[in-house]
Amino acid sequence: MAASIPPATVGRLVTYLRVVDEFAAVGVERVSSDELGERAGTSAFQVRKDLATCGRFGTRGSGYTVATLERELRRVLGLTRSWPVAIVGMGRIGQALADYPNFGRQDFVLSGAFDVDPAKVGMRAGSLLIRHLDDLPDVVREHGIEMAFLTVPADAAQDAAKALVGAGVRGLLNFAPAVIHVPAGVFVESVDFVGGLQRLAFALGGRPASTVGIDG
Ligand code: NAD
């Protein structure tokens, strides 16, 4: 099932799960595709089409049961258990991640922090003890870690990714401005703040706001 759902749809399913969790938190028991679409920033048609890829659990005309929708979205997204996650690179971003209080309820649990700087190894970051990268295989095995934040400098990213993959980690959330090559069966998602600002610069027309609307 997972491999057959296009990435753009998966992205929207993640958004629907957040919306459904919000509805559940305030005691809403049923939602329509209109309500879901409005909160998720998409159309009711798109909601129905996306949810149809997950199976048949809506009732035409009466919408979706929130609890069922949440359960099915979690099943499709692989969120029926919690995922232990490591952080590799305990600089500014790694430290900020370690201090973050809550990664998707209990879906993701920080279970290891690694660096190569002797000044950082042995220090605490949030609830984690920073270990040397050499300890990665042991910690990965001990905690069953399958995902990691990759928050090292760009020139260290490929080697650190190789160490992670060698230790058995199969999903990398890469913050470094570098293309990471991984073998089949390993997945990389990249976070690019600067790229986001650059896309906004393009969207704003690449010129100062004061000129927008004057010369078209
Ligand atoms: P930082 O320099 O503060 O921290 C990097 C940490 O990685 C350091 O503690 C260093 O000792 C450690 N490190 C180096 N090599 C390592 C290795 N092989 N294994 C484990 N740890 C290693 O960096 P930061 O500001 O936290 O940024 C982290 C990454 O995110 C960088 O690649 C940076 O360029 C990137 N970043 C990207 C954006 C963006 O918009 N794309 C924005 C900010 C930061």
Side-chain angles (χ1 to χ4, degrees):
M1 163 80 77
S4 63
I5 301 180
T9 308
V10 174
R12 288 190 297 273
L13 296 181
V14 167
T15 304
Y16 302 149
L17 177 59
R18 176 179 57 73
V19 170
V20 165
D21 281 343
E22 288 168 4
F23 279 124
V26 293
V28 173
E29 290 179 3
R30 293 194 75 81
V31 284
S32 66
S33 43
D34 280 310
E35 290 166 320
L36 273 172
E38 190 176 321
R39 287 278 278 269
T42 189
S43 68
F45 173 77
Q46 185 73 61
V47 169
R48 286 193 294 272
K49 193 172 159 211
D50 290 339
L51 294 181
T53 65
C54 304
R56 293 167 57 86
F57 51 88
T59 312
R60 198 170 177 81
S62 63
Y64 305 91
T65 306
V66 167
T68 308
L69 193 49
E70 182 185 2
R71 190 185 65 232
E72 290 303 306
L73 284 168
R74 288 189 168 279
R75 181 182 61 75
V76 170
L77 291 170
L79 296 172
T80 52
R81 59 148 167 135
S82 84
W83 294 84
V85 182
I87 308 173
V88 172
M90 294 306 295
R92 285 160 290 204
I93 293 181
Q95 293 278 350
L97 291 168
D99 284 336
Y100 193 72
N102 185 3
F103 285 102
R105 303 197 314 184
Q106 294 302 309
D107 296 338
F108 306 98
V109 178
L110 291 179
S111 304
F114 301 89
D115 208 291
V116 289
D117 181 351
K120 290 181 180 159
V121 173
M123 306 291 282
R124 296 207 77 87
S127 61
L128 302 168
L129 177 70
I130 302 176
R131 309 271 298 258
H132 194 277
L133 193 67
D134 291 346
D135 294 340
L136 190 64
D138 289 345
V139 179
V140 164
R141 201 176 317 114
E142 187 185 331
H143 292 279
I145 292 170
E146 290 181 75
M147 294 184 191
F149 292 106
L150 188 56
T151 48
V152 299
D155 58 4
Q158 184 62 58
D159 282 351
K162 195 172 169 202
L164 280 159
V165 172
V169 174
R170 298 186 300 129
L172 308 180
L173 189 57
N174 171 41
F175 285 71
V179 176
I180 305 295
H181 300 281
V182 290
V186 177
F187 301 90
V188 180
E189 286 275 337
S190 289
V191 176
D192 185 357
F193 305 119
V194 174
L197 291 174
Q198 288 167 336
R199 286 189 292 279
L200 281 175
F202 174 77
L204 298 182
R207 57 204 156 151
S210 60
T211 66
V212 173
I214 293 174
D215 62 2

